[in-house]
Amino acid sequence: MTGARAAFYDLEGTLIRTNLVHALLFYAKRQRGLRGSLSKTAVVVAGIPLFAATNFYDRRAFNDLFFRMYAGQTEDRLRFFADELFDDVLRPAIHAGALDLLRDSRERGLRQVVITGALDLSVAPLMRHLEIDEWVANRLEFVDGVATGRVLPPLIATASKAQWMREFARREGIDLDASWAYTDSMSDLPMLCVVGHPAACNPDFKLRRTAADHGWPILDLS
């Protein structure tokens, strides 16, 4: 007899079109004062090529570099703008097919679990909108209400997603062999490999080729 089953989802690129930089730019543009806003936005934009290069070679190094950009942001301010981020950026970016996929998974009795490298403060309104109660995201370290630029462990990225899934399954009695996982990126291959039913959603070239070689479903949710 198998245990409970779950559907595990990556978020950026899989269920929504946006990525981590979109949220960072959103917050940068809302710095206090025009000068502060323009300065922070310029720094973020200038860093995009470095983000892209680092992400290509080392996802953990990308996360270390990326989250340093939040240093100095106040927790209150990030929470204050989270609903606006959802309304202006995240909700319009939800893939139309993502809603159908979530509905189908629920109808099949699968627990819905999102695993994202985004910030918990940023995606909480989106999780409520999608009616996802079980999710994990990165959490900034705050000292006296101000972000240090460091992430509290565990860092949610690449192979650590698979490790989190194993621990979650062990704790919750989830049968991973009877469960599903969905992602768009080859960097998330480990999370696909720990379930019995992996699927590629809007996949990048490498993941599309890997999915085709293994006979995994390839979904277009856009």
Side-chain angles (χ1 to χ4, degrees), residues 7 9 100-110 112 182:
Y9 307 92
D100 295 331
L101 176 61
L102 291 169
R103 182 171 58 250
D104 177 69
S105 292
R106 288 190 178 100
E107 290 174 352
R108 288 187 284 133
L110 303 175
Q112 309 296 291
Y182 302 89

Side-chain angles (χ1 to χ4, degrees), residues 125-175:
L126 176 62
M127 295 299 99
R128 291 194 293 270
H129 177 75
L130 296 177
E131 299 180 352
I132 302 289
D133 296 325
E134 298 180 294
W135 55 280
V136 64
N138 280 316
R139 300 168 298 143
L140 285 175
E141 176 188 69
F142 292 96
V143 175
D144 296 328
V146 178
T148 65
R150 290 188 290 270
V151 176
L152 295 173
L155 176 67
I156 305 300
T158 58
S160 67
K161 291 185 177 182
Q163 180 61 31
W164 186 92
M165 288 166 62
R166 291 190 187 96
E167 293 172 357
F168 177 85
R170 193 160 47 244
R171 184 173 67 249
E172 298 293 325
I174 301 294
D175 182 353

Side-chain angles (χ1 to χ4, degrees), residues 34-220:
L34 179 61
R35 179 175 296 180
S37 174
L38 292 175
S39 175
K40 189 67 173 181
T41 300
V43 169
V44 173
V45 171
I48 289 176
L50 181 58
F51 293 151
T54 308
N55 186 43
F56 181 80
Y57 289 105
D58 188 334
R59 181 68 181 189
R60 283 183 172 271
F62 162 81
N63 277 277
D64 289 341
L65 175 67
F66 177 81
F67 288 114
R68 280 186 220 151
M69 300 295 291
Y70 281 95
Q73 298 264 15
T74 65
E75 183 175 7
D76 287 346
R77 194 167 183 79
L78 292 174
R79 289 187 184 279
F80 178 81
F81 283 116
D83 286 329
E84 188 177 333
L85 171 66
F86 167 68
D87 288 332
D88 293 354
V89 179
L90 301 183
R91 181 162 58 181
I94 299 171
H95 287 301
L99 301 177
D100 295 331
L101 176 61
L102 291 169
R103 182 171 58 250
D104 177 69
S105 292
R106 288 190 178 100
E107 290 174 352
R108 288 187 284 133
L110 303 175
R111 289 173 65 171
Q112 309 296 291
V113 186
V114 167
I115 308 171
T116 175
L119 287 178
D120 57 348
L121 298 175
S122 299
V123 299
L126 176 62
M127 295 299 99
R128 291 194 293 270
H129 177 75
L130 296 177
E131 299 180 352
I132 302 289
D133 296 325
E134 298 180 294
W135 55 280
V136 64
N138 280 316
R139 300 168 298 143
L140 285 175
E141 176 188 69
F142 292 96
V143 175
D144 296 328
V146 178
T148 65
R150 290 188 290 270
V151 176
L152 295 173
L155 176 67
I156 305 300
T158 58
S160 67
K161 291 185 177 182
Q163 180 61 31
W164 186 92
M165 288 166 62
R166 291 190 187 96
E167 293 172 357
F168 177 85
R170 193 160 47 244
R171 184 173 67 249
E172 298 293 325
I174 301 294
D175 182 353
L176 288 176
D177 288 336
S179 295
W180 291 76
Y182 302 89
T183 187
D184 70 305
S185 175
M186 187 66 178
S187 66
D188 284 333
L189 183 62
M191 70 179 285
L192 296 179
C193 291
V194 300
V195 297
H197 303 283
C201 298
N202 319 308
D204 59 28
F205 175 77
K206 288 184 178 180
L207 182 58
R208 181 178 293 275
R209 185 172 59 186
T210 300
D213 289 344
H214 288 81
W216 299 342
I218 299 174
L219 309 179
D220 180 4

